[in-house]
Amino acid sequence: MAAKEDLFCDCEVIHGDIVDAVKQRMPDEEDIYDLSDFFKVLGDSTRMRIIWALDESEMCVCDIAVLLNMTKSAISHQLRALRNANLVKFRREGKTVYYSLKDDHVRDIFEIGMEHIKEKYNKTKQKK
Amino acid sequence: MAAKEDLFCDCEVIHGDIVDAVKQRMPDEEDIYDLSDFFKVLGDSTRMRIIWALDESEMCVCDIAVLLNMTKSAISHQLRALRNANLVKFRREGKTVYYSLKDDHVRDIFEIGMEHIKEKYNKTKQKK
DNA sequence: TTGACAGTTGAGCAACCATTCAACTATAAT
DNA sequence: ATTATAGTTGAATGGTTGCTCAACTGTCAA
């Protein structure tokens, strides 16, 4: 039942049956949040570049900072976000901390994402 | 060569060879931006729920608004973002506009994303 | 112990963004 | 024409977020 007590919505229910059916098959709120949080981490060009870099080679914070021409602090902040998202792991060796990718999901996701980007180019932009 | 003129970085190059090698194999700046922009669209729980809903059934703006208990305006704004990202298509029928998913990449990406989320739960949170 | 460097962290700031609000267009019915 | 509903849009707003800056920890060397 598409509840009438839902006062936020400013319109009539047009297809109540569809709304009810979809509502039943929606994932848990928690999963939705976790999933969008996960993609949020990938949705920043700095973090994206860090991941691309780590996909090529294990690197320390300074190396990444030089590669991306940014401060250690900025990189460190973003690495923490990647750690929280469970995307990278690290090991300490003396003074330096080496970061690397944690699993292969990222690689797969990137490939599909790239497919999508390229299709977008071909179909709508018609560039190059 | 890891350029010394890059003044933003506040540290020494520790592994110049690695930095140089990775730098050569990094994707174009433009691709990085497009890819992170694409994931940015997925990185919002409202848009995420809209996509999940449209994956179940074609729906009009009002239906989605009722389903998510939000205003038509808020939904319409987010649908525009999804349109710009080339993720949804739409057709008009009288007064109502029906939206649906545009391709199957999203489904694939979500599956992998979910795998990642679930692994995170099992390994680090140990819940359920 | 002292100094130097790798890295982390918290506060602060500026830019960004999701939602609200109000005004608008489009289609259909009376 | 008028009214009603579906949907869009731009400006404003409050919350979020990425980077900077300064202070801090951790490790090593002298």
Side-chain angles (χ1 to χ4, degrees), chain B residues 24-39:
Chain B
Q24 284 186 348
R25 304 187 61 172
M26 287 288 281
D28 295 341
E29 278 295 308
E30 198 183 338
D31 285 342
I32 295 268
Y33 267 93
D34 288 343
L35 197 52
S36 59
D37 278 347
F38 170 62
F39 287 120

Side-chain angles (χ1 to χ4, degrees), chain A residues 76-123:
Chain A
S76 187
H77 276 298
Q78 298 299 3
L79 283 171
R80 185 173 53 165
L82 294 172
R83 276 198 320 261
N84 289 341
N86 217 37
L87 283 167
V88 299
K89 59 178 186 291
F90 61 97
R91 65 185 178 84
R92 179 155 216 135
E93 195 173 281
K95 283 185 291 185
T96 58
V97 178
Y98 293 92
Y99 282 84
S100 55
L101 286 193
K102 196 155 185 182
D103 62 35
D104 301 319
H105 293 144
V106 185
R107 240 176 297 259
D108 299 337
I109 289 178
F110 277 20
E111 276 178 29
I112 301 173
M114 270 299 185
E115 275 181 44
H116 181 85
I117 301 298
K118 296 303 181 186
E119 271 190 23
K120 190 177 175 184
Y121 276 138
N122 296 338
K123 287 181 182 170

Side-chain angles (χ1 to χ4, degrees), chain B residues 8-24:
Chain B
F8 276 108
C9 172
D10 56 347
C11 57
E12 308 291 320
V13 182
I14 300 193
H15 309 89
D17 50 340
I18 291 182
V19 173
D20 293 342
V22 172
K23 189 172 264 176
Q24 284 186 348

Side-chain angles (χ1 to χ4, degrees), chain A residues 26-69:
Chain A
M26 286 289 279
D28 295 342
E29 279 294 310
E30 199 184 338
D31 285 343
I32 295 269
Y33 267 93
D34 288 342
L35 198 52
S36 58
D37 278 346
F38 170 62
F39 288 120
K40 202 172 293 179
V41 176
L42 303 180
D44 175 81
S45 60
T46 298
R47 289 191 292 267
M48 181 69 57
R49 284 183 295 171
I50 293 177
I51 293 174
W52 272 108
L54 294 182
D55 188 37
E56 290 294 334
S57 171
E58 177 187 65
M59 293 181 93
C60 68
V61 179
C62 264
D63 290 342
I64 302 173
V66 172
L67 177 70
L68 304 186
N69 196 31

